[in-house]
C-alpha cells in the first residue's frame, strides 16, 4: 500500500442498528477489491473484522475495526462500529475519527432504534452521510418501504441515488439514478438501458436530486428554474456541495452478502465525500487551553489523537491513532501533551481487521496504529515539542449497570485487579469502584452483554474466574430522639486493673459523621481520656444497632463519669464508651435511612407515560419534564437507589433501546417501614450465615 496524502483519504464510519450488515458491507468491499480471497462472515467466524473470540461466539461486532481500501487513487478507511447499545463506547471511538458516515439499514427491518441513534450522532457532528439499504434480495424485504421510512423519519434531504430492479418478485439488478443506467446481477460489469417500466420513477427521483442540487448554488438554481438540465460538471459540483453541507443524504441499495451495489457505493464515496484535506482546518487547544486552528495538511506541525487502545498480553499496548495534522514517522520522538512525557515511535502500522501492515509514515488524515507507547492512553494527543496541542476528548458514556465481582480463589485476587485495570485502559466505558465500606469491587458497564464480555475476557485473557453478586445498597442508620446511657468498664485480674466510667447523651443532629462534645464538670472524667471516648464511639458508629450500617446524624455528648487514679487507662474508657453506645442507641429510636438518587432520563416523547408510571412503581418522585428537541424529552426524578439497580436493562426494554439515563446519589431519607423491616431481616440473616 502506497502513501496517501490528506486529499486522497476518506474516513468513513459505519453506523446503524445491530444486525443491519455494517460489517458485511466492509467485508464485501474487501473481497471486491481483492484484499481478501473469500467473503468473510461474522456468523461463520471467517470475518476479517470480527475476529475476536467474543465476536465469533456472539455473531455480532463488539469492537470497532478498521479496513483501509485503495479505490481509484484514493484510500477509503472504513471504520466499522458495533450497533448494539452495550458497545456504545466502541462506536463513539470510531465516530470520533470518521469524517463522513455510512448508515446501513436492513431492507426488511427498516428504521430501528440504532438507525435513529446513528442519525442523531451524525447530525450533531454534522457529518456528510450516505444511507445504504442492505439485504434487498432477502425474503420480505422492501426498498420502497425502507426508503419511505427513512424519508418520513429524517426528512427530504434523504434522496435515492440507486433503486432496485424487481422482476417476478425478485431483485435482479439496480438502476443508478445519476448515470441513468441499469446494472443486472447476471452481468455486473456492463451497464444497460433503464427498463421502460422504471423510466418514470427514475426521472422522478432525478428531479428530486436536481432540485436539491439547485439549492446549493445561485447559478444552478437559476438554471433549474429555467427548465434546463444540468450537465455532468454541474451535477458533480452541486452534489459535492450538497453532500458536504448535509443538504443531500444519498440513499444507495444492494446486498453486501452477494457483493451487489458495492462498486458504485465506493465510487460515490470517492467522488462526493470530502477528503480530510478539504476540511481545511480543525480546532485544537494550545498549552494555555486556548482554542487555535490547525491546517489539515502535511505542512502543518504533526499532531495525532489516540482514539482506541488494545492491551495485548504478548504484543503489549496497541494505540490506534488518527494523524490530525502533519506527518508521523517511524523511529521518531513525540510528546504526549496530556502526560507531558516523551514517547518513542518505533513502528507504525496500518490495521486491516486482524492484520497489521508495517509502514514508514502516516500522513495527515490517515489512520493507523503504534505499539508499546509507555505513557499514552485513549484520548491522549501526540505532537511535536515545538507545537504542543491537545484535542477535544471523546465523551464516553457513563456506565450505569453494576455488578459486584469476587475472585473465586485468593490467588485470583491480584490477577483480578491487574486484569480489570488493563481492560479499563482499553475500554473507557468501564468503571471500577472499590468500595471501602461494603468491601466490594463493583464493575460498571453499559449493559448485561457488555459486562458479560468483560468477565469472559477476564477469564480468557487474564485467567481469572470470578463470582458476581448484586452490589450492596449503602443504607445508613440514625436516631429520632434523645437517650442517655451509662458505660462502666471494670477489670481486675491481679496486678494492674482497668477502670473507665462514662455517661453519654445521644441526640439527633444534621451531620454525615458523628459529632462529639463534652459537658463534664469537676473533672469527673479527666480531659486526657476524652479522645479515647470519642474513638470508641466513632468505631461503634461504623455499625448501627439495627442492621449494621454506618450511623449518621448523631451527636454524642460526654456529660459525666468517673475514674480511678491507678486503674484508669485509655483502653478502659474506650471500652466504656462502647458499652454506653450499646445501651443508649436502641433507646434513641433508631431508624434506617435509604439513599435517594437523582436521575435524568432522555426518551422519545411517546414513552413519557410509560416512564413516569414506572417511576411511580419505584417509589420515585417526578421533579421536572422538558423537551430537549423536537422528539426527545428529559424526565428528572428522585428515586431510591435500591429500586434502580437493574434500570439500565429495564429502560432499554421499555423504550426498545431508545432511552438513556444517568443517576447520581442525592441524599438520604428515612426508609418506609416495610423497606426498613426487609433490610433489617436481610442483615440478620447475613450475620447468621457468617457465624
Amino acid at each position: 500500500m502506497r502513501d496517501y496524502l490528506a486529499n486522497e483519504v476518506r474516513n468513513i464510519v459505519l453506523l446503524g442498528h445491530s444486525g443491519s450488515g455494517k460489517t458485511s458491507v466492509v467485508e464485501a468491499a474487501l473481497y471486491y477489491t481483492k484484499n481478501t480471497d473469500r467473503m468473510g462472515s461474522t456468523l461463520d467466524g471467517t470475518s476479517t473484522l470480527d475476529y475476536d473470540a467474543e465476536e465469533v461466539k456472539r455473531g455480532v461486532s463488539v469492537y470497532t475495526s478498521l479496513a483501509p481500501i485503495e479505490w481509484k487513487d484514493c484510500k477509503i478507511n472504513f471504520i466499522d462500529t458495533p450497533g448494539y447499545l452495550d458497545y456504545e463506547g466502541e462506536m463513539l471511538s470510531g465516530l470520533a475519527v470518521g469524517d463522513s458516515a455510512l448508515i446501513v439499514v436492513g431492507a426488511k427491518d427498516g428504521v430501528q432504534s440504532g438507525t435513529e441513534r446513528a442519525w442523531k450522532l451524525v447530525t450533531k457532528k454534522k457529518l456528510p452521510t450516505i444511507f445504504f439499504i442492505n439485504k434487498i434480495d432477502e425474503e420480505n424485504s422492501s426498498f420502497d418501504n425502507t426508503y419511505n421510512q427513512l424519508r418520513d423519519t429524517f426528512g427530504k434531504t434523504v434522496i435515492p441515488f440507486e433503486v432496485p430492479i424487481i422482476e417476478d418478485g425478485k431483485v435482479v439488478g439496480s438502476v443508478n439514478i445519476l448515470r441513468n443506467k441499469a446494472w443486472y446481477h447476471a452481468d455486473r460489469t456492463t451497464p444497460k438501458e433503464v427498463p421502460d417500466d422504471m423510466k418514470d420513477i427514475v426521472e422522478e427521483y432525478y428531479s428530486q436530486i436536481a432540485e436539491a442540487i439547485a439549492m446549493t448554488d445561485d447559478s444552478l438554481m437559476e438554471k433549474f428554474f429555467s427548465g434546463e438540465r444540468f450537465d455532468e460538471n454541474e451535477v458533480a459540483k452541486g452534489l459535492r456541495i450538497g453532500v458536504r453541507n448535509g443538504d443531500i443524504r444519498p440513499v444507495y441499495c444492494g446486498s453486501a452478502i452477494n457483493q451487489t451495489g458495492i462498486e458504485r457505493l465506493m465510487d460515490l464515496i470517492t467522488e462526493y465525500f470530502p477528503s480530510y484535506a478539504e476540511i481545511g482546518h480543525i480546532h485544537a487547544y494550545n498549552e494555555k487551553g486556548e482554542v487555535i486552528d490547525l491546517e489539515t495538511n502535511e505542512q502543518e506541525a504533526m499532531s495525532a489523537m489516540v482514539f482506541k487502545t488494545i492491551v495485548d498480553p504478548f504484543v503489549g499496548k496497541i494505540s490506534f491513532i488518527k494523524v490530525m495534522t502533519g506527518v508521523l514517522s517511524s523511529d521518531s520522538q513525540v510528546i504526549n501533551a496530556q502526560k507531558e512525557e516523551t514517547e518513542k515511535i518505533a513502528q507504525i502500522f496500518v490495521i486491516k481487521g486482524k492484520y497489521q501492515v508495517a509502514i514508514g509514515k502516516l500522513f495527515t488524515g490517515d489512520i493507523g496504529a503504534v505499539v508499546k507507547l509507555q505513557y499514552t492512553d485513549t484520548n491522549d494527543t501526540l505532537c511535536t515539542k515545538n507545537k504542543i496541542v491537545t484535542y477535544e476528548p471523546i465523551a464516553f458514556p457513563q456506565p450505569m449497570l453494576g455488578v459486584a465481582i469476587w475472585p473465586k480463589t485468593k490467588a485470583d485476587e491480584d490477577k483480578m485487579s491487574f486484569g480489570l485495570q488493563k481492560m479499563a485502559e482499553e475500554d473507557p466505558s468501564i468503571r471500577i469502584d472499590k468500595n471501602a465500606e461494603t468491601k466490594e469491587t463493583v464493575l460498571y458497564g453499559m449493559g448485561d452483554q457488555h459486562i458479560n464480555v468483560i468477565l469472559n475476557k477476564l477469564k480468557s485473557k487474564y485467567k481469572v474466574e470470578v463470582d458476581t453478586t448484586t452490589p450492596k445498597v449503602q443504607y445508613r442508620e440514625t436516631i429520632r430522639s434523645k437517650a442517655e446511657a451509662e458505660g462502666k468498664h471494670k477489670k481486675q485480674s491481679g496486678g494492674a486493673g482497668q477502670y473507665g466510667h462514662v455517661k453519654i447523651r445521644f441526640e439527633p443532629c444534621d451531620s454525615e459523621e458523628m459529632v462529639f462534645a463534652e459537658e463534664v464538670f469537676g473533672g469527673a472524667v479527666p480531659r486526657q481520656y476524652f479522645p479515647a471516648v470519642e474513638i470508641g464511639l466513632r468505631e461503634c458508629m461504623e455499625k448501627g444497632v439495627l442492621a449494621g450500617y454506618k450511623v449518621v446524624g448523631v451527636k454524642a455528648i460526654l456529660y459525666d463519669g468517673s475514674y480511678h487514679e491507678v486503674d484508669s487507662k485509655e483502653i478502659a474508657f474506650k471500652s466504656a464508651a462502647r458499652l454506653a453506645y450499646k445501651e443508649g442507641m436502641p433507646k434513641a429510636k433508631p431508624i434506617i435511612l435509604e439513599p435517594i438518587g437523582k436521575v435524568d432520563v432522555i426518551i422519545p416523547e411517546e414513552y413519557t407515560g410509560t416512564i413516569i408510571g414506572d417511576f411511580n412503581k419505584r417509589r420515585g418522585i417526578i421533579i421536572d419534564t422538558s423537551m430537549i428537541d423536537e422528539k426527545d424529552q428529559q424526565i428528572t426524578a428522585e428515586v431510591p437507589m435500591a429500586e434502580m439497580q437493574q434500570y439500565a436493562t429495564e429502560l432499554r426494554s421499555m423504550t426498545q433501546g431508545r432511552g438513556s439515563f444517568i443517576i447520581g446519589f442525592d441524599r438520604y431519607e428515612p426508609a418506609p417501614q416495610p423497606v426498613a423491616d426487609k433490610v433489617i431481616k436481610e442483615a440478620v440473616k447475613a450475620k447468621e450465615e457468617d457465624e
Side-chain angles (χ1 to χ4, degrees):
M1 183 174 285
R2 70 171 177 86
D3 292 334
Y4 284 87
L5 302 179
N7 65 332
E8 300 170 311
V9 173
R10 310 287 190 275
N11 295 316
I12 313 300
V13 58
L14 283 89
L15 303 169
H17 198 80
S18 182
S20 60
K22 299 181 294 298
T23 303
S24 296
V25 170
V26 183
E27 293 283 356
L30 286 168
Y31 181 65
Y32 187 85
T33 55
K34 297 182 171 54
N35 277 274
T36 55
D37 55 8
R38 63 179 295 184
M39 175 70 185
S41 168
T42 301
L43 294 175
D44 296 341
T46 58
S47 170
T48 301
L49 302 177
D50 290 348
Y51 59 89
D52 186 87
E54 288 297 315
E55 295 175 312
V56 173
K57 182 174 75 174
R58 296 168 188 276
V60 297
S61 297
V62 173
Y63 304 106
T64 288
S65 296
L66 303 176
I69 291 176
E70 296 173 293
W71 183 253
K72 296 187 177 179
D73 295 324
C74 289
K75 180 183 182 184
I76 304 174
N77 285 318
F78 283 113
I79 307 157
D80 181 36
T81 69
Y84 195 68
L85 196 58
D86 274 29
Y87 316 123
E88 186 179 2
E90 285 286 328
M91 184 268 291
L92 292 175
S93 290
L95 182 70
V97 293
D99 303 317
S100 303
L102 175 62
I103 299 178
V104 182
V105 187
K108 183 161 56 177
D109 300 314
V111 174
Q112 297 173 278
S113 61
T115 321
E116 295 173 358
R117 188 169 70 252
W119 172 263
K120 288 179 182 178
L121 291 167
V122 299
T123 303
K124 182 178 179 181
K125 203 177 175 187
K126 298 180 180 179
L127 294 185
T129 303
I130 296 172
F131 287 97
F132 184 76
I133 298 178
N134 191 24
K135 307 179 184 181
I136 60 169
D137 52 355
E138 286 190 0
E139 191 175 351
N140 299 322
S141 66
S142 171
F143 172 86
D144 289 338
N145 289 346
T146 304
Y147 163 66
N148 288 330
Q149 275 189 3
L150 289 170
R151 197 166 170 89
D152 291 344
T153 307
F154 305 129
K156 293 184 178 180
T157 61
V158 178
I159 304 171
F161 277 47
E162 186 141 327
V163 295
I165 302 171
I166 300 174
E167 294 179 0
D168 298 327
K170 291 185 177 181
V171 176
V172 297
S174 59
V175 173
N176 187 278
I177 307 297
L178 282 182
R179 299 179 186 179
N180 199 32
K181 293 291 182 182
W183 276 264
Y184 288 86
H185 298 169
D187 181 7
R188 301 186 185 190
T189 59
T190 308
K192 305 288 196 304
E193 292 301 313
V194 175
D196 289 339
D197 61 348
M198 291 187 67
K199 287 182 177 178
D200 288 344
I201 189 67
V202 169
E203 183 61 32
E204 180 184 333
Y205 285 146
Y206 181 82
S207 297
Q208 291 181 17
I209 296 173
E211 183 177 352
I213 288 172
M215 301 297 288
T216 64
D217 182 87
D218 290 342
S219 61
L220 295 178
M221 185 179 293
E222 187 176 330
K223 187 171 184 177
F224 175 77
F225 283 116
S226 68
E228 297 181 59
R229 201 173 183 89
F230 297 132
D231 61 33
E232 190 174 319
N233 291 331
E234 290 168 329
V235 168
K237 174 187 175 183
L239 281 179
R240 287 194 181 96
I241 296 172
V243 169
R244 283 157 175 71
N245 63 22
D247 290 337
I248 300 174
R249 316 270 189 174
V251 178
Y252 265 55
C253 66
S255 169
I257 295 296
N258 293 312
Q259 299 96 50
T260 59
I262 300 301
E263 178 186 0
R264 290 180 297 284
L265 176 64
M266 291 191 292
D267 283 345
L268 182 72
I269 288 170
T270 55
E271 289 172 16
Y272 299 116
F273 266 173
S275 69
Y276 185 74
E278 289 179 59
I279 296 173
H281 66 271
I282 51 171
H283 294 313
Y285 300 92
N286 63 17
E287 291 180 272
K288 297 179 181 178
E290 300 166 335
V291 177
I292 59 173
D293 281 345
L294 300 178
E295 295 182 2
T296 55
N297 59 45
E298 289 75 18
Q299 287 70 48
E300 182 65 85
M302 194 288 299
S303 64
M305 179 179 179
V306 178
F307 66 93
K308 176 178 166 67
T309 302
I310 294 177
V311 180
D312 189 287
F314 304 104
V315 179
K317 187 183 288 186
I318 304 172
S319 302
F320 286 63
I321 59 171
K322 177 180 180 180
V323 179
M324 310 298 283
T325 58
V327 181
L328 180 66
S329 303
S330 58
D331 296 322
S332 63
Q333 287 190 339
V334 297
I335 302 296
N336 182 315
Q338 280 85 355
K339 309 290 171 50
E340 298 182 352
E341 297 282 358
T342 301
E343 293 276 25
K344 170 75 173 175
I345 305 296
Q347 184 65 67
I348 304 171
F349 296 92
V350 169
I351 304 294
K352 183 172 71 176
K354 55 188 169 185
Y355 303 109
Q356 302 172 5
V357 180
I359 58 173
K361 293 182 178 180
L362 205 60
F363 291 82
T364 301
D366 213 345
I367 295 173
V370 293
V371 297
K372 297 181 179 178
L373 296 181
Q374 190 173 355
Y375 307 103
T376 301
D377 299 308
T378 299
N379 268 336
D380 285 349
T381 301
L382 304 176
C383 56
T384 66
K385 64 180 180 181
N386 296 325
K387 196 166 189 175
I388 306 292
V389 298
T390 58
Y391 290 98
E392 190 74 31
I394 303 165
F396 287 100
Q398 296 183 40
M400 289 289 142
L401 183 64
V403 294
I405 58 175
W406 308 86
K408 287 197 172 183
T409 67
K410 186 70 177 174
D412 284 334
E413 196 164 335
D414 290 339
K415 289 194 294 183
M416 185 182 84
S417 295
F418 177 79
L420 289 173
Q421 176 196 336
K422 292 301 178 185
M423 283 194 286
E425 287 181 28
E426 287 189 307
D427 186 352
S429 64
I430 293 173
R431 180 162 59 90
I432 312 296
D433 179 16
K434 293 185 177 181
N435 194 305
E437 182 177 331
T438 64
K439 306 296 188 291
E440 294 176 325
T441 297
V442 182
L443 166 65
Y444 289 92
M446 299 301 297
D448 291 327
Q449 286 200 31
H450 187 209
I451 287 175
N452 192 248
V453 165
I454 296 165
L455 297 182
N456 287 346
K457 199 170 180 180
L458 196 62
K459 181 179 178 180
S460 62
K461 198 170 182 178
Y462 298 99
K463 312 304 178 190
V464 179
E465 292 196 52
V466 299
D467 293 318
T468 62
T469 58
T470 301
K472 293 178 182 176
V473 177
Q474 291 176 249
Y475 292 98
R476 293 285 184 263
E477 297 183 27
T478 192
I479 57 176
R480 291 180 294 173
S481 68
K482 295 181 181 181
E484 293 183 350
E486 182 178 7
K488 182 182 285 187
H489 176 78
K490 186 176 181 181
K491 184 177 180 183
Q492 193 73 40
S493 57
Q498 293 183 9
Y499 182 87
H501 176 214
V502 296
K503 293 182 179 180
I504 297 172
R505 182 168 62 251
F506 299 97
E507 56 186 50
C509 73
D510 185 14
S511 69
E512 292 186 8
E513 299 291 335
M514 181 198 80
V515 175
F516 178 74
E518 54 82 19
E519 297 175 356
V520 178
F521 295 99
V525 178
R527 186 168 295 276
Q528 68 262 32
Y529 298 125
F530 291 176
V533 175
E534 181 177 356
I535 290 170
L537 289 171
R538 288 198 184 280
E539 288 178 354
C540 290
M541 294 288 175
E542 291 300 314
K543 289 199 171 187
V545 295
L546 292 177
Y549 289 99
K550 184 178 178 180
V551 179
V552 297
V554 172
K555 185 175 184 179
I557 304 162
L558 173 64
Y559 67 91
D560 202 358
S562 62
Y563 75 102
H564 190 280
E565 289 185 358
V566 177
D567 292 344
S568 285
K569 297 177 178 65
E570 288 185 354
I571 191 170
F573 276 95
K574 189 175 177 182
S575 297
R578 289 174 174 168
L579 293 171
Y581 173 85
K582 288 179 181 178
E583 180 192 335
M585 289 295 284
K587 297 189 295 185
K589 297 183 180 178
I591 60 170
I592 298 290
L593 299 176
E594 64 177 350
I596 304 297
K598 188 173 184 179
V599 57
D600 290 318
V601 183
I602 297 176
I603 50 165
E605 188 180 12
E606 61 262 33
Y607 296 106
T608 301
T610 300
I611 299 307
I612 290 177
D614 180 69
F615 275 139
N616 291 333
K617 294 176 185 176
R618 297 174 192 268
R619 300 187 286 122
I621 299 172
I622 304 300
I623 302 301
D624 185 42
T625 60
S626 58
M627 296 298 294
I628 58 175
D629 56 34
E630 292 180 357
K631 295 183 179 180
D632 289 340
Q633 186 167 51
Q634 178 171 307
I635 298 174
T636 301
E638 293 176 348
V639 192
M641 298 286 275
E643 304 285 348
M644 298 294 287
Q645 289 188 299
Q646 298 299 316
Y647 194 65
T649 303
E650 293 158 348
L651 176 65
R652 190 174 300 174
S653 175
M654 287 186 286
T655 62
Q656 284 74 54
R658 290 173 166 86
S660 64
F661 81 105
I662 57 172
I663 187 171
F665 169 77
D666 188 61
R667 66 188 184 279
Y668 278 97
E669 282 190 355
Q673 197 58 48
V675 174
D677 291 343
K678 182 181 178 183
V679 170
I680 294 168
K681 183 179 179 181
E682 289 174 352
V684 170
K685 182 181 177 182
K687 186 177 180 181
E688 290 173 350
E689 290 175 353
D690 289 342
E691 293 174 350

